[in-house]
Amino acid sequence: MPVLEISDLITAVDPQSGHRLPVSRAEVIRLLDEAGDARAARIVAGLPTDRDGLLDPDAVDRLLVSVHAELQRLSEELRIGERLVHLLGPLFQAIRSTSGPGRYRLVDVGCGLGYAVRWLAATNALGPDVELVGVDLDAALVTEAGRLARAEGLDCHFVHGNAFDLPEAATVYISTGVLHHFRGPALSEFFRSQAASPAQAFCHFDIAATRLAPVGAWIFHLARMRHPLGRHDGVASARRAHSDETLLRAAAVPGITPLLYEPRGAANPFCTTLRPIIGVRPHLEDPFRRSLGRAARRLVGPDYLTGPTR
């Protein structure tokens, strides 16, 4: 049976217009029951509706903002900012070495409350020539992200919409904890959208698919998340994590060289919670490896799929 996340089901947005669509609570409960997840169905049954049985969008927004605020603790404890810079620093160095001085643009896809973008802005870790933009289809989340950035006096901005339909394309796309939401052909389409853009590279962190991941997620979310939805979806996310092979195959789209950092077997499973899949234009691979230095030994490419132990 499929593993479903409640947060994916209780909101619906037209991907082209960004307009909010009504969601029937009964329909969400039906989907969860069919997936054999009675606990999730009970959680949704407790959410408020209008007279027609449609979920109250304001109540859903408040809940999701609250849950994402708690998730920021996870990003802080996993030191997501530092881990991003460990790869993005050399990546932008490689881009500068091949493109020369200019203005570059980083776009965080599915940014939520914008923790990654706000951290990068607060530290100026990538330099003043990198514009920082967060994009999400959830209007409530990006509105709160913008409010937080203004309160913190940060030089970054947030956009409600589709990250691949912006007037100005990204130089580099990033995301954290987004890839597992894409299933089947949608995962490859996600990478094809980036390859079809003028972007030079992408770097997407997502949950490492290990046997320990659901256990670790259960422990953390039980200890740190107050609402049952956050606890449920945290464990569901770990169960839905894509394997190394799935990510490399999906990212192997025309015009992109896919690279996986710290693949299974090269990292401590007790410490590796998130793992990045990186994609670069072919001319950037060698400069990127040189900029990474010794850490480049942790990169594997498509040949990883055909090695003798795979």
Side-chain angles (χ1 to χ4, degrees):
M1 290 185 179
V3 177
L4 303 177
E5 293 182 59
I6 298 171
S7 56
D8 286 342
L9 301 176
I10 61 175
T11 61
V13 177
D14 184 308
Q16 300 305 317
S17 68
H19 293 157
R20 184 76 163 267
L21 301 175
V23 176
S24 163
R25 185 175 67 180
E27 177 63 13
V28 174
I29 292 172
R30 183 188 67 80
L31 292 171
L32 292 168
D33 281 336
E34 289 181 353
D37 197 339
R39 176 171 173 264
R42 288 194 298 271
I43 293 172
V44 173
L47 300 180
T49 66
D50 63 14
R51 291 183 299 176
D52 297 321
L54 300 177
L55 287 170
D56 180 344
D58 293 332
V60 168
D61 286 346
R62 288 193 297 271
L63 173 58
L64 292 181
V65 168
S66 174
V67 168
H68 278 75
E70 291 185 324
L71 279 174
Q72 180 169 304
R73 302 176 189 173
L74 181 60
S75 296
E76 293 167 346
E77 294 193 9
L78 294 179
R79 302 176 67 181
I80 293 302
E82 289 94 333
R83 297 190 66 191
L84 279 166
V85 171
H86 175 65
L87 295 173
L88 292 177
L91 187 53
F92 274 102
Q93 184 177 339
I95 292 170
R96 293 183 184 104
S97 72
T98 58
S99 302
R103 185 72 177 170
Y104 304 105
R105 201 163 190 252
L106 178 144
V107 172
D108 185 1
V109 184
C111 67
L113 295 184
Y115 174 80
V117 166
R118 290 188 288 113
W119 191 95
L120 292 171
T123 59
N124 195 31
L126 298 180
D129 59 346
V130 179
E131 180 186 5
L132 302 170
V133 182
V135 185
D136 203 293
L137 286 170
D138 190 305
L141 294 178
V142 291
T143 297
E144 179 65 6
R147 186 193 70 79
L148 290 170
R150 290 190 297 273
E152 296 161 359
L154 300 177
D155 185 15
C156 57
H157 66 279
F158 296 90
V159 179
H160 171 226
N162 187 326
F164 306 126
D165 288 336
L166 299 178
E168 296 180 63
T171 309
V172 175
Y173 286 105
I174 69 167
S175 72
T176 55
V178 167
L179 293 181
H180 65 272
H181 291 283
F182 295 101
R183 317 307 298 176
L187 182 63
S188 294
E189 181 57 34
F190 176 75
F191 292 116
R192 280 195 295 269
S193 296
Q194 292 162 82
S197 78
Q200 293 292 299
F202 57 72
C203 180
H204 299 294
F205 277 80
D206 203 27
I207 303 161
T210 67
R211 286 180 293 178
L212 293 174
V215 177
W218 178 79
I219 293 172
F220 176 87
H221 288 83
L222 181 64
R224 295 300 182 89
M225 304 296 283
R226 290 188 291 269
H227 196 278
L229 183 151
R231 294 177 177 177
H232 174 276
D233 280 9
V235 178
S237 296
R239 293 176 61 197
R240 299 177 73 192
H242 296 298
S243 68
D244 295 355
E245 292 82 359
T246 295
L247 290 176
L248 274 172
R249 288 194 176 96
V253 294
I256 290 292
T257 299
L259 301 166
L260 189 70
Y261 192 70
E262 293 188 328
R264 186 179 64 247
N268 185 336
F270 291 94
C271 301
T272 304
T273 304
L274 297 181
R275 174 176 298 140
I277 182 77
I278 303 158
V280 297
R281 299 297 180 184
H283 72 277
L284 280 175
E285 181 179 1
D286 287 342
F288 176 50
R289 287 181 179 273
R290 288 194 297 270
S291 296
L292 266 178
R294 290 173 59 87
R297 295 178 299 175
R298 303 178 189 177
L299 285 173
V300 296
D303 54 341
Y304 175 77
L305 299 174
T306 58
T309 60
R310 297 294 152 210

